[in-house]
Amino acid sequence: MPRRALRSYPTKDATDLTDEQWAAIAPLVVTPSPNGGRPTEIDRRAIVNALRSKHRTGCQWRMRPKDVPPMSSVRSSFDTWNRDGTFITINDTLRKLARQALNRDPEPSISVLDSQSVTTTEAGGERGYDGKKKVNGRKRQFWVDANGFLLRVLVHPADISDTEGAEWLLAAHHQSFPRMREIRVDEG
């Protein structure tokens, strides 16, 4: 009896990279291992598509669709790219391309910094209580350019003040944006 072809999942078209998108980030994720060894046989584009699908749907690692690479490969790539800064490089590259498409300088000079406290239900990770917003969970510090494109984000316990979180974020990343002349903030 012939095997049935795997059916596409509903979000596949919404999460799979276009050829143009893949061309922009392929050089950033298709690199040989610095430690040498045998090159991977798993298609990096399929790994990126699987990560985009997981992000879009929020599904658990083990609940991924059947037509994506093995969970261990996807998770290993995610962990490696998170640890080595590949995701930051991808974000920076795409932000620069988007700014150029708007006839803007690739490097921003004006930005906005804000935070958002969110309730967490997960058992893992650090949490704190934001007394001002009455939220028990985490706080996300967002730093975006004037167009709203993400520069950096920092997640920390909600009991850390907006000012202290902003100081941590800027201390770690201000050198990445040499043209930055103005950072707009709210009352916090």
Side-chain angles (χ1 to χ4, degrees), residues 134-178:
K134 310 255 188 288
V135 171
N136 186 22
R138 295 187 186 101
K139 189 176 286 185
R140 301 183 283 215
Q141 300 276 161
F142 293 100
W143 189 18
V144 298
D145 70 8
N147 294 101
F149 298 130
L150 184 66
L151 299 175
R152 296 292 185 267
V153 65
L154 174 69
V155 179
H156 53 80
D159 59 353
I160 304 296
S161 72
D162 290 357
T163 303
E164 189 174 0
E167 288 173 1
W168 291 350
L169 181 62
L170 295 175
H173 298 288
H174 74 280
Q175 73 282 358
S176 301
F177 305 99

mmCIF file of all heavy atoms in Angstrom, residues 134-178:
data_model
loop_
_atom_site.group_PDB
_atom_site.id
_atom_site.type_symbol
_atom_site.label_atom_id
_atom_site.label_comp_id
_atom_site.label_asym_id
_atom_site.label_seq_id
_atom_site.Cartn_x
_atom_site.Cartn_y
_atom_site.Cartn_z
ATOM 1 N N LYS A 134 0.737 45.906 39.480
ATOM 2 C CA LYS A 134 0.076 44.787 40.161
ATOM 3 C C LYS A 134 0.157 43.491 39.332
ATOM 4 O O LYS A 134 -0.833 42.802 39.111
ATOM 5 C CB LYS A 134 -1.384 45.121 40.460
ATOM 6 C CG LYS A 134 -1.577 46.458 41.134
ATOM 7 C CD LYS A 134 -1.901 46.288 42.578
ATOM 8 C CE LYS A 134 -2.280 47.578 43.256
ATOM 9 N NZ LYS A 134 -1.209 48.510 43.477
ATOM 10 N N VAL A 135 1.378 43.190 38.865
ATOM 11 C CA VAL A 135 1.603 42.014 38.030
ATOM 12 C C VAL A 135 2.694 41.159 38.651
ATOM 13 O O VAL A 135 3.755 41.661 39.012
ATOM 14 C CB VAL A 135 2.025 42.439 36.597
ATOM 15 C CG1 VAL A 135 2.473 41.246 35.783
ATOM 16 C CG2 VAL A 135 0.874 43.155 35.901
ATOM 17 N N ASN A 136 2.415 39.866 38.782
ATOM 18 C CA ASN A 136 3.408 38.909 39.252
ATOM 19 C C ASN A 136 3.926 38.163 38.026
ATOM 20 O O ASN A 136 3.186 37.418 37.402
ATOM 21 C CB ASN A 136 2.793 37.934 40.250
ATOM 22 C CG ASN A 136 3.839 37.025 40.867
ATOM 23 O OD1 ASN A 136 5.017 37.357 40.887
ATOM 24 N ND2 ASN A 136 3.406 35.879 41.361
ATOM 25 N N GLY A 137 5.171 38.411 37.663
ATOM 26 C CA GLY A 137 5.708 37.741 36.479
ATOM 27 C C GLY A 137 7.016 38.335 36.029
ATOM 28 O O GLY A 137 7.926 38.533 36.813
ATOM 29 N N ARG A 138 7.071 38.659 34.735
ATOM 30 C CA ARG A 138 8.301 39.176 34.128
ATOM 31 C C ARG A 138 8.029 40.515 33.468
ATOM 32 O O ARG A 138 6.895 40.871 33.173
ATOM 33 C CB ARG A 138 8.828 38.193 33.099
ATOM 34 C CG ARG A 138 9.257 36.873 33.714
ATOM 35 C CD ARG A 138 9.929 35.974 32.700
ATOM 36 N NE ARG A 138 10.190 34.676 33.310
ATOM 37 C CZ ARG A 138 9.450 33.599 33.124
ATOM 38 N NH1 ARG A 138 8.409 33.645 32.328
ATOM 39 N NH2 ARG A 138 9.753 32.478 33.721
ATOM 40 N N LYS A 139 9.118 41.215 33.213
ATOM 41 C CA LYS A 139 9.028 42.498 32.529
ATOM 42 C C LYS A 139 9.875 42.407 31.265
ATOM 43 O O LYS A 139 10.978 41.877 31.279
ATOM 44 C CB LYS A 139 9.553 43.624 33.425
ATOM 45 C CG LYS A 139 9.294 45.006 32.873
ATOM 46 C CD LYS A 139 9.742 46.074 33.854
ATOM 47 C CE LYS A 139 8.777 46.158 35.010
ATOM 48 N NZ LYS A 139 9.077 47.251 35.939
ATOM 49 N N ARG A 140 9.320 42.933 30.167
ATOM 50 C CA ARG A 140 10.043 42.986 28.899
ATOM 51 C C ARG A 140 10.413 44.439 28.630
ATOM 52 O O ARG A 140 9.534 45.296 28.582
ATOM 53 C CB ARG A 140 9.181 42.452 27.760
ATOM 54 C CG ARG A 140 8.731 41.030 27.986
ATOM 55 C CD ARG A 140 7.939 40.480 26.846
ATOM 56 N NE ARG A 140 6.572 40.979 26.842
ATOM 57 C CZ ARG A 140 5.522 40.276 26.455
ATOM 58 N NH1 ARG A 140 5.684 39.042 26.027
ATOM 59 N NH2 ARG A 140 4.326 40.798 26.471
ATOM 60 N N GLN A 141 11.693 44.694 28.484
ATOM 61 C CA GLN A 141 12.187 46.021 28.122
ATOM 62 C C GLN A 141 12.398 46.003 26.609
ATOM 63 O O GLN A 141 13.198 45.207 26.101
ATOM 64 C CB GLN A 141 13.525 46.323 28.789
ATOM 65 C CG GLN A 141 13.516 46.306 30.272
ATOM 66 C CD GLN A 141 13.066 47.608 30.910
ATOM 67 O OE1 GLN A 141 12.699 47.599 32.049
ATOM 68 N NE2 GLN A 141 13.095 48.713 30.208
ATOM 69 N N PHE A 142 11.673 46.858 25.887
ATOM 70 C CA PHE A 142 11.791 46.935 24.433
ATOM 71 C C PHE A 142 12.534 48.201 24.047
ATOM 72 O O PHE A 142 12.221 49.286 24.530
ATOM 73 C CB PHE A 142 10.403 46.986 23.780
ATOM 74 C CG PHE A 142 9.621 45.721 23.931
ATOM 75 C CD1 PHE A 142 8.640 45.613 24.898
ATOM 76 C CD2 PHE A 142 9.863 44.652 23.100
ATOM 77 C CE1 PHE A 142 7.905 44.451 25.035
ATOM 78 C CE2 PHE A 142 9.141 43.478 23.226
ATOM 79 C CZ PHE A 142 8.165 43.379 24.196
ATOM 80 N N TRP A 143 13.475 48.050 23.129
ATOM 81 C CA TRP A 143 14.181 49.191 22.564
ATOM 82 C C TRP A 143 13.967 49.109 21.061
ATOM 83 O O TRP A 143 14.394 48.148 20.417
ATOM 84 C CB TRP A 143 15.655 49.103 22.925
ATOM 85 C CG TRP A 143 16.473 50.313 22.585
ATOM 86 C CD1 TRP A 143 16.021 51.569 22.318
ATOM 87 C CD2 TRP A 143 17.888 50.380 22.506
ATOM 88 N NE1 TRP A 143 17.069 52.409 22.070
ATOM 89 C CE2 TRP A 143 18.234 51.706 22.188
ATOM 90 C CE3 TRP A 143 18.903 49.457 22.678
ATOM 91 C CZ2 TRP A 143 19.541 52.131 22.024
ATOM 92 C CZ3 TRP A 143 20.216 49.879 22.519
ATOM 93 C CH2 TRP A 143 20.515 51.192 22.205
ATOM 94 N N VAL A 144 13.250 50.081 20.508
ATOM 95 C CA VAL A 144 12.911 50.080 19.083
ATOM 96 C C VAL A 144 13.379 51.378 18.425
ATOM 97 O O VAL A 144 13.557 52.396 19.101
ATOM 98 C CB VAL A 144 11.394 49.903 18.854
ATOM 99 C CG1 VAL A 144 10.912 48.566 19.408
ATOM 100 C CG2 VAL A 144 10.594 51.042 19.457
ATOM 101 N N ASP A 145 13.551 51.342 17.108
ATOM 102 C CA ASP A 145 13.898 52.568 16.399
ATOM 103 C C ASP A 145 12.622 53.383 16.155
ATOM 104 O O ASP A 145 11.527 52.966 16.544
ATOM 105 C CB ASP A 145 14.675 52.275 15.118
ATOM 106 C CG ASP A 145 13.848 51.623 14.016
ATOM 107 O OD1 ASP A 145 12.610 51.502 14.153
ATOM 108 O OD2 ASP A 145 14.450 51.234 12.998
ATOM 109 N N ALA A 146 12.767 54.527 15.510
ATOM 110 C CA ALA A 146 11.622 55.421 15.295
ATOM 111 C C ALA A 146 10.557 54.795 14.411
ATOM 112 O O ALA A 146 9.394 55.219 14.439
ATOM 113 C CB ALA A 146 12.095 56.745 14.697
ATOM 114 N N ASN A 147 10.899 53.775 13.635
ATOM 115 C CA ASN A 147 9.922 53.069 12.803
ATOM 116 C C ASN A 147 9.253 51.923 13.541
ATOM 117 O O ASN A 147 8.363 51.274 13.007
ATOM 118 C CB ASN A 147 10.594 52.511 11.546
ATOM 119 C CG ASN A 147 11.088 53.596 10.640
ATOM 120 O OD1 ASN A 147 12.272 53.897 10.634
ATOM 121 N ND2 ASN A 147 10.201 54.228 9.902
ATOM 122 N N GLY A 148 9.701 51.633 14.759
ATOM 123 C CA GLY A 148 9.144 50.533 15.527
ATOM 124 C C GLY A 148 9.862 49.208 15.317
ATOM 125 O O GLY A 148 9.430 48.177 15.818
ATOM 126 N N PHE A 149 10.979 49.219 14.568
ATOM 127 C CA PHE A 149 11.750 48.003 14.355
ATOM 128 C C PHE A 149 12.586 47.707 15.599
ATOM 129 O O PHE A 149 13.236 48.597 16.142
ATOM 130 C CB PHE A 149 12.670 48.130 13.140
ATOM 131 C CG PHE A 149 11.941 48.349 11.844
ATOM 132 C CD1 PHE A 149 12.315 49.377 10.998
ATOM 133 C CD2 PHE A 149 10.892 47.538 11.464
ATOM 134 C CE1 PHE A 149 11.663 49.586 9.797
ATOM 135 C CE2 PHE A 149 10.216 47.736 10.275
ATOM 136 C CZ PHE A 149 10.599 48.766 9.437
ATOM 137 N N LEU A 150 12.573 46.458 16.018
ATOM 138 C CA LEU A 150 13.247 46.049 17.241
ATOM 139 C C LEU A 150 14.760 46.228 17.154
ATOM 140 O O LEU A 150 15.398 45.766 16.214
ATOM 141 C CB LEU A 150 12.926 44.586 17.552
ATOM 142 C CG LEU A 150 13.487 44.024 18.853
ATOM 143 C CD1 LEU A 150 12.843 44.708 20.051
ATOM 144 C CD2 LEU A 150 13.263 42.527 18.911
ATOM 145 N N LEU A 151 15.312 46.919 18.149
ATOM 146 C CA LEU A 151 16.762 47.016 18.291
ATOM 147 C C LEU A 151 17.228 45.911 19.230
ATOM 148 O O LEU A 151 18.042 45.079 18.874
ATOM 149 C CB LEU A 151 17.172 48.391 18.829
ATOM 150 C CG LEU A 151 16.787 49.593 17.960
ATOM 151 C CD1 LEU A 151 17.138 50.893 18.662
ATOM 152 C CD2 LEU A 151 17.451 49.502 16.597
ATOM 153 N N ARG A 152 16.690 45.901 20.454
ATOM 154 C CA ARG A 152 17.030 44.878 21.441
ATOM 155 C C ARG A 152 15.851 44.706 22.395
ATOM 156 O O ARG A 152 15.012 45.591 22.541
ATOM 157 C CB ARG A 152 18.264 45.264 22.261
ATOM 158 C CG ARG A 152 19.548 45.381 21.477
ATOM 159 C CD ARG A 152 20.029 44.021 20.961
ATOM 160 N NE ARG A 152 21.315 44.115 20.307
ATOM 161 C CZ ARG A 152 21.484 44.290 19.008
ATOM 162 N NH1 ARG A 152 20.439 44.411 18.216
ATOM 163 N NH2 ARG A 152 22.696 44.348 18.486
ATOM 164 N N VAL A 153 15.842 43.585 23.093
ATOM 165 C CA VAL A 153 14.847 43.323 24.118
ATOM 166 C C VAL A 153 15.544 42.635 25.287
ATOM 167 O O VAL A 153 16.506 41.898 25.090
ATOM 168 C CB VAL A 153 13.672 42.464 23.572
ATOM 169 C CG1 VAL A 153 14.139 41.078 23.177
ATOM 170 C CG2 VAL A 153 12.530 42.392 24.560
ATOM 171 N N LEU A 154 15.075 42.923 26.481
ATOM 172 C CA LEU A 154 15.610 42.299 27.690
ATOM 173 C C LEU A 154 14.420 41.838 28.524
ATOM 174 O O LEU A 154 13.487 42.607 28.739
ATOM 175 C CB LEU A 154 16.452 43.308 28.483
ATOM 176 C CG LEU A 154 16.965 42.859 29.846
ATOM 177 C CD1 LEU A 154 18.029 41.765 29.670
ATOM 178 C CD2 LEU A 154 17.549 44.034 30.616
ATOM 179 N N VAL A 155 14.458 40.600 28.971
ATOM 180 C CA VAL A 155 13.402 40.057 29.824
ATOM 181 C C VAL A 155 14.004 39.800 31.198
ATOM 182 O O VAL A 155 15.083 39.209 31.312
ATOM 183 C CB VAL A 155 12.829 38.748 29.244
ATOM 184 C CG1 VAL A 155 11.744 38.179 30.152
ATOM 185 C CG2 VAL A 155 12.286 38.984 27.844
ATOM 186 N N HIS A 156 13.303 40.272 32.234
ATOM 187 C CA HIS A 156 13.807 40.118 33.597
ATOM 188 C C HIS A 156 12.619 40.065 34.552
ATOM 189 O O HIS A 156 11.478 40.311 34.161
ATOM 190 C CB HIS A 156 14.765 41.257 33.960
ATOM 191 C CG HIS A 156 14.201 42.630 33.736
ATOM 192 N ND1 HIS A 156 13.348 43.237 34.620
ATOM 193 C CD2 HIS A 156 14.372 43.502 32.714
ATOM 194 C CE1 HIS A 156 13.019 44.431 34.157
ATOM 195 N NE2 HIS A 156 13.626 44.612 33.008
ATOM 196 N N PRO A 157 12.850 39.748 35.831
ATOM 197 C CA PRO A 157 11.738 39.705 36.790
ATOM 198 C C PRO A 157 11.021 41.055 36.850
ATOM 199 O O PRO A 157 11.641 42.113 36.714
ATOM 200 C CB PRO A 157 12.415 39.389 38.123
ATOM 201 C CG PRO A 157 13.691 38.704 37.738
ATOM 202 C CD PRO A 157 14.116 39.333 36.451
ATOM 203 N N ALA A 158 9.710 41.015 37.058
ATOM 204 C CA ALA A 158 8.897 42.235 37.037
ATOM 205 C C ALA A 158 9.214 43.191 38.176
ATOM 206 O O ALA A 158 8.868 44.369 38.100
ATOM 207 C CB ALA A 158 7.409 41.871 37.051
ATOM 208 N N ASP A 159 9.876 42.708 39.235
ATOM 209 C CA ASP A 159 10.163 43.610 40.353
ATOM 210 C C ASP A 159 11.382 44.501 40.107
ATOM 211 O O ASP A 159 11.690 45.362 40.923
ATOM 212 C CB ASP A 159 10.309 42.836 41.669
ATOM 213 C CG ASP A 159 11.408 41.785 41.634
ATOM 214 O OD1 ASP A 159 11.994 41.540 40.561
ATOM 215 O OD2 ASP A 159 11.680 41.202 42.692
ATOM 216 N N ILE A 160 12.055 44.338 38.982
ATOM 217 C CA ILE A 160 13.159 45.227 38.609
ATOM 218 C C ILE A 160 12.529 46.494 38.028
ATOM 219 O O ILE A 160 11.652 46.425 37.167
ATOM 220 C CB ILE A 160 14.083 44.567 37.556
ATOM 221 C CG1 ILE A 160 14.615 43.225 38.050
ATOM 222 C CG2 ILE A 160 15.205 45.512 37.143
ATOM 223 C CD1 ILE A 160 15.503 43.285 39.247
ATOM 224 N N SER A 161 12.985 47.652 38.473
ATOM 225 C CA SER A 161 12.386 48.906 38.005
ATOM 226 C C SER A 161 12.663 49.130 36.521
ATOM 227 O O SER A 161 13.633 48.603 35.969
ATOM 228 C CB SER A 161 12.944 50.092 38.806
ATOM 229 O OG SER A 161 14.284 50.347 38.429
ATOM 230 N N ASP A 162 11.807 49.941 35.882
ATOM 231 C CA ASP A 162 11.999 50.284 34.482
ATOM 232 C C ASP A 162 13.361 50.939 34.272
ATOM 233 O O ASP A 162 14.061 50.660 33.295
ATOM 234 C CB ASP A 162 10.906 51.247 33.998
ATOM 235 C CG ASP A 162 9.552 50.581 33.900
ATOM 236 O OD1 ASP A 162 9.452 49.364 34.148
ATOM 237 O OD2 ASP A 162 8.583 51.295 33.563
ATOM 238 N N THR A 163 13.743 51.811 35.190
ATOM 239 C CA THR A 163 15.012 52.524 35.077
ATOM 240 C C THR A 163 16.194 51.565 35.138
ATOM 241 O O THR A 163 17.111 51.635 34.316
ATOM 242 C CB THR A 163 15.132 53.578 36.201
ATOM 243 O OG1 THR A 163 14.007 54.457 36.118
ATOM 244 C CG2 THR A 163 16.407 54.367 36.068
ATOM 245 N N GLU A 164 16.169 50.648 36.101
ATOM 246 C CA GLU A 164 17.266 49.700 36.242
ATOM 247 C C GLU A 164 17.346 48.763 35.036
ATOM 248 O O GLU A 164 18.435 48.478 34.519
ATOM 249 C CB GLU A 164 17.105 48.887 37.532
ATOM 250 C CG GLU A 164 18.296 48.041 37.877
ATOM 251 C CD GLU A 164 18.169 47.360 39.231
ATOM 252 O OE1 GLU A 164 17.150 47.547 39.922
ATOM 253 O OE2 GLU A 164 19.107 46.625 39.585
ATOM 254 N N GLY A 165 16.192 48.291 34.563
ATOM 255 C CA GLY A 165 16.165 47.430 33.375
ATOM 256 C C GLY A 165 16.704 48.156 32.156
ATOM 257 O O GLY A 165 17.463 47.591 31.361
ATOM 258 N N ALA A 166 16.323 49.429 32.001
ATOM 259 C CA ALA A 166 16.825 50.228 30.873
ATOM 260 C C ALA A 166 18.336 50.402 30.966
ATOM 261 O O ALA A 166 19.041 50.326 29.950
ATOM 262 C CB ALA A 166 16.129 51.580 30.845
ATOM 263 N N GLU A 167 18.833 50.625 32.172
ATOM 264 C CA GLU A 167 20.281 50.766 32.353
ATOM 265 C C GLU A 167 21.012 49.496 31.943
ATOM 266 O O GLU A 167 22.038 49.548 31.269
ATOM 267 C CB GLU A 167 20.607 51.123 33.806
ATOM 268 C CG GLU A 167 20.243 52.533 34.186
ATOM 269 C CD GLU A 167 20.408 52.816 35.675
ATOM 270 O OE1 GLU A 167 20.826 51.903 36.435
ATOM 271 O OE2 GLU A 167 20.121 53.947 36.085
ATOM 272 N N TRP A 168 20.477 48.327 32.327
ATOM 273 C CA TRP A 168 21.097 47.057 31.954
ATOM 274 C C TRP A 168 21.106 46.896 30.438
ATOM 275 O O TRP A 168 22.114 46.524 29.848
ATOM 276 C CB TRP A 168 20.339 45.884 32.565
ATOM 277 C CG TRP A 168 20.441 45.743 34.041
ATOM 278 C CD1 TRP A 168 21.268 46.422 34.896
ATOM 279 C CD2 TRP A 168 19.659 44.872 34.854
ATOM 280 N NE1 TRP A 168 21.044 46.008 36.185
ATOM 281 C CE2 TRP A 168 20.067 45.064 36.191
ATOM 282 C CE3 TRP A 168 18.666 43.947 34.591
ATOM 283 C CZ2 TRP A 168 19.517 44.355 37.249
ATOM 284 C CZ3 TRP A 168 18.112 43.248 35.639
ATOM 285 C CH2 TRP A 168 18.539 43.453 36.956
ATOM 286 N N LEU A 169 19.956 47.154 29.821
ATOM 287 C CA LEU A 169 19.817 46.980 28.380
ATOM 288 C C LEU A 169 20.769 47.895 27.618
ATOM 289 O O LEU A 169 21.500 47.459 26.733
ATOM 290 C CB LEU A 169 18.364 47.245 27.962
ATOM 291 C CG LEU A 169 18.024 47.081 26.494
ATOM 292 C CD1 LEU A 169 18.251 45.654 26.041
ATOM 293 C CD2 LEU A 169 16.578 47.475 26.250
ATOM 294 N N LEU A 170 20.780 49.158 27.991
ATOM 295 C CA LEU A 170 21.632 50.124 27.284
ATOM 296 C C LEU A 170 23.115 49.877 27.542
ATOM 297 O O LEU A 170 23.940 50.026 26.639
ATOM 298 C CB LEU A 170 21.242 51.549 27.660
ATOM 299 C CG LEU A 170 19.834 51.963 27.217
ATOM 300 C CD1 LEU A 170 19.496 53.345 27.750
ATOM 301 C CD2 LEU A 170 19.686 51.899 25.711
ATOM 302 N N ALA A 171 23.467 49.492 28.766
ATOM 303 C CA ALA A 171 24.869 49.216 29.072
ATOM 304 C C ALA A 171 25.396 48.056 28.224
ATOM 305 O O ALA A 171 26.540 48.077 27.768
ATOM 306 C CB ALA A 171 25.041 48.897 30.557
ATOM 307 N N ALA A 172 24.544 47.074 27.980
ATOM 308 C CA ALA A 172 24.968 45.897 27.226
ATOM 309 C C ALA A 172 25.010 46.135 25.721
ATOM 310 O O ALA A 172 25.764 45.468 25.013
ATOM 311 C CB ALA A 172 24.042 44.720 27.543
ATOM 312 N N HIS A 173 24.208 47.079 25.214
ATOM 313 C CA HIS A 173 24.043 47.163 23.760
ATOM 314 C C HIS A 173 24.233 48.538 23.136
ATOM 315 O O HIS A 173 24.124 48.665 21.923
ATOM 316 C CB HIS A 173 22.662 46.637 23.367
ATOM 317 C CG HIS A 173 22.457 45.205 23.729
ATOM 318 N ND1 HIS A 173 23.088 44.165 23.066
ATOM 319 C CD2 HIS A 173 21.715 44.622 24.695
ATOM 320 C CE1 HIS A 173 22.735 43.023 23.608
ATOM 321 N NE2 HIS A 173 21.901 43.269 24.600
ATOM 322 N N HIS A 174 24.501 49.575 23.906
ATOM 323 C CA HIS A 174 24.566 50.915 23.318
ATOM 324 C C HIS A 174 25.658 51.031 22.250
ATOM 325 O O HIS A 174 25.505 51.748 21.273
ATOM 326 C CB HIS A 174 24.766 51.986 24.397
ATOM 327 C CG HIS A 174 26.148 52.022 24.965
ATOM 328 N ND1 HIS A 174 26.567 51.131 25.928
ATOM 329 C CD2 HIS A 174 27.205 52.801 24.672
ATOM 330 C CE1 HIS A 174 27.828 51.379 26.223
ATOM 331 N NE2 HIS A 174 28.248 52.387 25.474
ATOM 332 N N GLN A 175 26.757 50.296 22.400
ATOM 333 C CA GLN A 175 27.853 50.375 21.435
ATOM 334 C C GLN A 175 27.470 49.789 20.078
ATOM 335 O O GLN A 175 28.153 50.036 19.086
ATOM 336 C CB GLN A 175 29.109 49.693 21.987
ATOM 337 C CG GLN A 175 29.054 48.182 22.026
ATOM 338 C CD GLN A 175 28.257 47.589 23.179
ATOM 339 O OE1 GLN A 175 27.734 48.298 24.028
ATOM 340 N NE2 GLN A 175 28.159 46.280 23.217
ATOM 341 N N SER A 176 26.379 49.049 19.998
ATOM 342 C CA SER A 176 25.931 48.460 18.738
ATOM 343 C C SER A 176 25.309 49.487 17.797
ATOM 344 O O SER A 176 25.068 49.179 16.626
ATOM 345 C CB SER A 176 24.906 47.355 19.008
ATOM 346 O OG SER A 176 25.466 46.346 19.813
ATOM 347 N N PHE A 177 25.023 50.686 18.316
ATOM 348 C CA PHE A 177 24.320 51.698 17.524
ATOM 349 C C PHE A 177 25.054 53.031 17.594
ATOM 350 O O PHE A 177 24.652 53.949 18.309
ATOM 351 C CB PHE A 177 22.873 51.828 18.022
ATOM 352 C CG PHE A 177 22.152 50.504 18.010
ATOM 353 C CD1 PHE A 177 22.020 49.757 19.172
ATOM 354 C CD2 PHE A 177 21.664 49.985 16.828
ATOM 355 C CE1 PHE A 177 21.388 48.526 19.153
ATOM 356 C CE2 PHE A 177 21.034 48.752 16.793
ATOM 357 C CZ PHE A 177 20.898 48.023 17.956
ATOM 358 N N PRO A 178 26.133 53.171 16.822
ATOM 359 C CA PRO A 178 26.979 54.364 16.919
ATOM 360 C C PRO A 178 26.296 55.666 16.493
ATOM 361 O O PRO A 178 26.708 56.734 16.932
ATOM 362 C CB PRO A 178 28.163 54.035 15.996
ATOM 363 C CG PRO A 178 27.667 52.966 15.088
ATOM 364 C CD PRO A 178 26.635 52.204 15.857
#
